[in-house]
Amino acid sequence: MTAIDPRITVGVDGSAGSTAAVAWAAKIASLRHLELRIVHGLQLSGLYYGGGLPGAGAEALFDALVADGEKIVADARAVAASIDENLVVTSGLPNEPPVPMLLEESRHARMLVVGRTGAGGFTGMLIGGTAATVAAHAHCPVAVVRGREGATVVPGSGPVVVGVDGSANSEQALAVAFEEASLRGAPLAALHAWNDVTYEDTRGTARILTQPDTLVADAERLLGQRLAGWQEKYPDVEVRRVLVQGRPRHALLDAAAEAQLVVVGSRGRGGFTGMLLGSTSQALVQHAACPVLVVRPERKG
């Protein structure tokens, strides 16, 4: 397994969303006593067509974009310093589009942090589905910093919620969630959602399952098995077992309304082979009312 540097990396673009992401990332880095790395992709190549802009025009545009990027990074560093003036902060200003830049940064980070939205335009860091794309392909856990509807402050209280479905990726998410809850001094809500409807084939033929009492008992057993050992490892963490009849994405979105963090695996038991970001994690990245930490399966080699 490739060694990673002890740092938290955050992507910035000058938007309100990225400013919130910097503040959140700085708190995490301070809590963990890690370096914070701030990166902004200039993406200059996207501004050139054919042979590019001629002479002095291209040079002036280049200088303006570099100056703008330097200001964005300087402002982000000021935000980080306001959280912890002793925090070790480094920065980078590569000439790369946001997605490949962030994916490369994820190879060397303990956690990659991005905001919920970007500034838009050519230099927008998180325009469109960039957050979901990064969460799907990154080499480390990815935090997408989100907040309550209409609020400017990211929630800092409430439980850490983790989705548990029995998959290997869910087990990795559970390990991360216990660590996060312990570091924050927060309770951990381990949520398992089950459904009495299954789908028989790729055309989506529905079948109602019988014996609901058996389904509930199976759900309780699965959750108990997955939590076994973790409570002994983290005796300081108050664990709340949450069983919900319904779809996982709906249950986790509801839980996010009272949480300070939701932790999920990038794919669950129901994901299709080859799918990099499942429907549940995708829904949380786009709609959760608190930060979402997406844990990717560990890569071999």
Side-chain angles (χ1 to χ4, degrees), residues 191-261:
L191 186 152
H192 174 67
W194 57 275
N195 208 327
D196 59 1
V197 178
T198 189
Y199 293 90
E200 305 242 278
D201 54 32
T202 57
R203 288 173 291 183
T205 303
R207 179 167 65 94
I208 305 298
L209 299 177
T210 56
Q211 299 178 312
D213 291 344
T214 301
L215 293 175
V216 174
D218 288 345
E220 291 175 341
R221 188 178 305 111
L222 183 148
L223 191 55
Q225 289 172 344
R226 295 307 173 189
L227 290 173
W230 288 112
Q231 291 174 276
E232 288 76 13
K233 185 175 181 179
Y234 291 94
D236 58 315
V237 176
E238 174 196 343
V239 178
R240 303 170 183 174
R241 302 187 183 194
V242 183
L243 290 172
V244 179
Q245 181 179 359
R247 292 185 177 274
R249 76 187 77 168
H250 298 153
L252 288 167
L253 284 171
D254 287 344
E258 303 296 332
Q260 64 173 287
L261 178 69

Side-chain angles (χ1 to χ4, degrees), residues 147-162:
R148 310 286 190 238
E149 187 67 31
T152 58
V153 178
V154 176
S157 61
V160 172
V161 176
V162 59

Side-chain angles (χ1 to χ4, degrees), residues 3-290:
I4 59 174
D5 295 331
R7 69 190 187 201
I8 305 294
T9 298
V10 56
V12 299
D13 66 2
S15 67
S18 83
T19 299
V22 172
W24 191 90
K27 291 176 183 177
I28 297 300
S30 179
L31 192 64
R32 293 171 175 261
H33 305 290
L34 297 177
E35 169 194 323
L36 177 68
R37 177 166 170 79
I38 298 170
V39 293
H40 172 73
L42 292 175
Q43 199 176 351
L44 299 178
S45 59
L47 299 178
Y48 293 86
Y49 298 89
L53 295 177
E59 184 177 350
L61 180 57
F62 178 88
D63 291 343
L65 287 172
V66 170
D68 185 57
E70 289 175 343
K71 183 180 185 307
I72 287 171
V73 170
D75 290 345
R77 293 180 72 105
V79 171
S82 72
I83 300 298
D84 181 353
E85 62 181 9
N86 296 316
L87 192 63
V88 176
V89 180
T90 62
S91 59
L93 201 66
N95 178 15
E96 290 186 72
V99 170
M101 177 201 69
L102 291 170
L103 294 182
E104 180 60 29
E105 289 287 341
S106 76
R107 293 180 181 274
H108 312 286
R110 185 73 58 83
M111 181 189 298
L112 181 65
V113 182
V114 294
R116 60 182 295 181
T117 56
F122 287 111
T123 58
M125 177 63 67
L126 294 179
I127 193 168
T130 301
T133 302
V134 171
H137 294 274
H139 299 265
C140 68
V142 175
V144 180
V145 178
R146 302 183 53 83
R148 310 286 190 238
E149 187 67 31
T152 58
V153 178
V154 176
S157 61
V160 172
V161 176
V162 59
V164 180
D165 66 6
S167 67
N169 197 192
S170 166
E171 188 70 13
Q172 293 163 342
L174 194 58
V176 171
F178 264 98
E179 181 181 15
E180 290 294 326
S182 179
L183 285 168
R184 297 159 184 266
L188 177 69
L191 186 152
H192 174 67
W194 57 275
N195 208 327
D196 59 1
V197 178
T198 189
Y199 293 90
E200 305 242 278
D201 54 32
T202 57
R203 288 173 291 183
T205 303
R207 179 167 65 94
I208 305 298
L209 299 177
T210 56
Q211 299 178 312
D213 291 344
T214 301
L215 293 175
V216 174
D218 288 345
E220 291 175 341
R221 188 178 305 111
L222 183 148
L223 191 55
Q225 289 172 344
R226 295 307 173 189
L227 290 173
W230 288 112
Q231 291 174 276
E232 288 76 13
K233 185 175 181 179
Y234 291 94
D236 58 315
V237 176
E238 174 196 343
V239 178
R240 303 170 183 174
R241 302 187 183 194
V242 183
L243 290 172
V244 179
Q245 181 179 359
R247 292 185 177 274
R249 76 187 77 168
H250 298 153
L252 288 167
L253 284 171
D254 287 344
E258 303 296 332
Q260 64 173 287
L261 178 69
V262 173
V263 183
V264 288
S266 60
R267 290 182 59 236
R269 287 193 306 172
F272 295 103
T273 301
M275 182 181 290
L276 293 173
L277 198 64
S279 60
T280 297
S281 48
Q282 175 91 16
L284 287 162
V285 164
Q286 298 292 340
H287 302 293
C290 72

